[in-house]
Amino acid sequence: WPLGGAEMGWDVRSEVSHGTPALAARVIQEELDGGATSITLKVASGDESGTPIANLAELDEALSHLALERVPVSLAAGSVGFQAACALIAAIDGQKARRGVVHGSLGLDPLGTLASQGGLPQSLDSALEEAAALAVFASRELPGMRALQVDGSPYHEAGADAAVELGIALASGVAYLRALTAAGLDVSQAARQIGFTFSVGRDFFVEMAKLRAARRCWSRVVEAAGGDTLAQAMVIHARTSFRTKTQRDPWVNLLRATAESFAAAAGGADVITTSAFDVALGESDEFARRLSRNTQHLLRHESHVNRVVDPAGGSFYLEEITEALAKGAWAELQRIEKAGGVAQALTSGDVQAKLTKLLESERKAVET
């Protein structure tokens, strides 16, 4: 809607990745009692940690304290994303929830999984076909759910700067648009099935501008493809960066996560996940999770960050950064497309080489 988060505030989303379905269910209850307004369930896959979900019964157990009609739920399941998404659809029907009022994301991101885990359990073409089939189903049967979630976090955590992260995310979005339209959706329907996740790092103004530039570029992509005005709106899930967190003196992570959450809110994120200050040390305890939730409550209910529609609008400094990032991201998108698309760039090692170069440049800058 026109005012975005300025009316109701952003969605306070907690990520749950605890070791058993029963423990995940207890943590979900604590998160909701503490003021979280939606949940991401991170499912264990490959070498990535998360809640192990082997069947529908275990997913039902993990979601046993969550009314799917009232609380949006999203999945982050990596290489088992298709199976987890099918189980979530079955869980929705098992709760007799009305499909038309359920919201959230099935969280499919085969390109992001390929980038973060180095491979897929099947061919990329097959994974894209599965994702497209679920997107067609969601478009028809679950209008409040998005099937695909482009995650820029793997590239951010591997050393990408803001423009490169945006460029790769846009290229992934373009690849998904092609797959979904090939499966029978029109451009507007396909765009509504795609959400975006970005990690928000330490540079407050750059990260704020990054989210603003992301919206601008994605709108242009969808418009050029023939999508309608509503379909051009990018839905952004911002999460605080992992690479900015320290294991030594972890209390300083409270300050970093606060600044990152503030940048996400001021940049216009629709959904924000604030990581716990002890995230670099392993599984977070209840105290750390409570502080991360309360960081957002303070920004929203005491600082009233959501009461301004576009805090950066009209600032020459921030508008210039936004313009520069938009141009840089668009140039990166064009470079990837000329090289054959993001899938080709990943499998050829092009993306990895670029990120290695950026990370090495950052390391030298820190040392000197």
Side-chain angles (χ1 to χ4, degrees):
W1 54 93
L3 294 181
E7 286 297 299
M8 301 299 293
W10 58 88
D11 179 357
V12 180
R13 180 166 299 174
S14 293
E15 183 178 281
V16 176
S17 58
H18 291 67
T20 66
L23 181 57
R26 180 174 65 79
V27 172
I28 286 174
Q29 184 66 68
E30 291 174 354
E31 296 293 325
L32 296 176
D33 289 345
T37 54
S38 71
I39 296 293
T40 290
L41 179 64
K42 185 177 181 184
V43 179
S45 67
D47 295 329
E48 295 189 359
S49 61
T51 303
I53 301 292
N55 50 53
L56 176 58
E58 292 185 345
L59 181 62
D60 283 336
E61 183 179 12
L63 301 179
S64 58
H65 299 307
L66 195 153
L68 293 169
E69 274 197 8
R70 293 189 289 109
V71 180
V73 63
S74 299
L75 294 174
S79 58
V80 296
F82 181 77
Q83 298 91 321
C86 291
L88 178 58
I89 294 169
I92 291 169
D93 291 339
Q95 284 195 9
K96 293 184 170 52
R98 291 169 293 172
R99 288 180 173 181
V101 300
V102 173
H103 285 77
S105 171
L106 299 177
L108 298 173
D109 185 16
L111 289 167
T113 301
L114 177 62
S116 62
Q117 298 187 3
L120 294 167
Q122 75 269 58
S123 70
L124 179 58
D125 287 342
S126 177
L128 288 172
E129 287 176 5
E130 290 179 346
L134 277 180
V136 172
F137 175 85
S139 181
R140 184 178 66 248
E141 300 290 339
L142 295 164
M145 297 287 284
R146 293 177 184 263
L148 289 124
Q149 191 72 21
V150 176
D151 190 357
S153 299
Y155 314 106
H156 168 88
E157 304 298 351
D161 60 28
V164 169
E165 179 188 356
L166 285 184
I168 299 172
L170 290 169
S172 299
V174 168
Y176 291 152
L177 275 180
R178 291 194 180 109
L180 269 55
T181 52
L185 296 178
D186 63 38
V187 172
S188 296
Q189 290 172 326
R192 292 189 187 99
Q193 285 299 311
I194 303 171
F196 289 80
T197 297
F198 294 106
S199 286
V200 177
R202 64 179 178 265
D203 193 322
F204 180 85
F205 295 109
V206 168
E207 297 299 324
M208 189 193 308
K210 179 175 79 176
L211 301 188
R212 300 174 79 245
R215 289 190 186 280
R216 179 175 170 183
C217 290
W218 182 243
S219 175
R220 183 176 175 184
V221 166
V222 177
E223 180 185 24
D228 61 39
T229 302
L230 290 176
Q232 294 170 26
M234 174 187 271
V235 176
I236 296 178
H237 172 205
R239 54 199 314 275
T240 55
S241 172
F242 181 80
R243 82 181 195 192
T244 64
K245 304 306 178 292
T246 178
Q247 291 181 324
R248 299 181 184 276
D249 190 18
W251 305 100
V252 76
N253 293 334
L254 289 166
L255 301 175
R256 293 171 178 169
T258 299
E260 290 162 3
S261 299
F262 192 172
D270 303 283
V271 183
I272 301 176
T273 297
T274 302
S275 61
F277 73 88
D278 61 350
V279 64
L281 297 172
E283 194 171 282
S284 299
D285 61 18
E286 194 280 332
F287 173 68
R289 287 186 280 107
R290 179 166 64 87
L291 289 182
S292 68
R293 291 192 308 269
N294 286 352
T295 297
Q296 292 196 49
H297 295 331
L298 289 169
L299 289 172
R300 179 172 167 181
H301 298 297
E302 295 194 16
S303 300
H304 303 290
V305 178
N306 62 298
R307 299 309 303 172
V308 181
V309 175
D310 182 12
S315 161
F316 177 82
Y317 174 64
L318 284 165
E319 295 287 8
E320 283 295 295
I321 299 175
T322 301
E323 175 77 9
L325 287 179
K327 288 181 177 179
W330 199 260
E332 180 65 14
L333 167 62
Q334 291 178 317
R335 188 190 71 81
I336 292 172
E337 286 294 293
K338 287 178 182 177
V342 69
Q344 176 64 27
L346 283 170
T347 54
S348 69
D350 174 83
V351 170
Q352 294 88 329
K354 189 173 187 69
L355 297 187
T356 298
K357 184 177 180 180
L358 288 170
L359 195 61
E360 178 65 14
S361 176
E362 183 179 275
R363 184 188 65 80
K364 287 182 177 178
V366 170
E367 288 182 350
T368 55

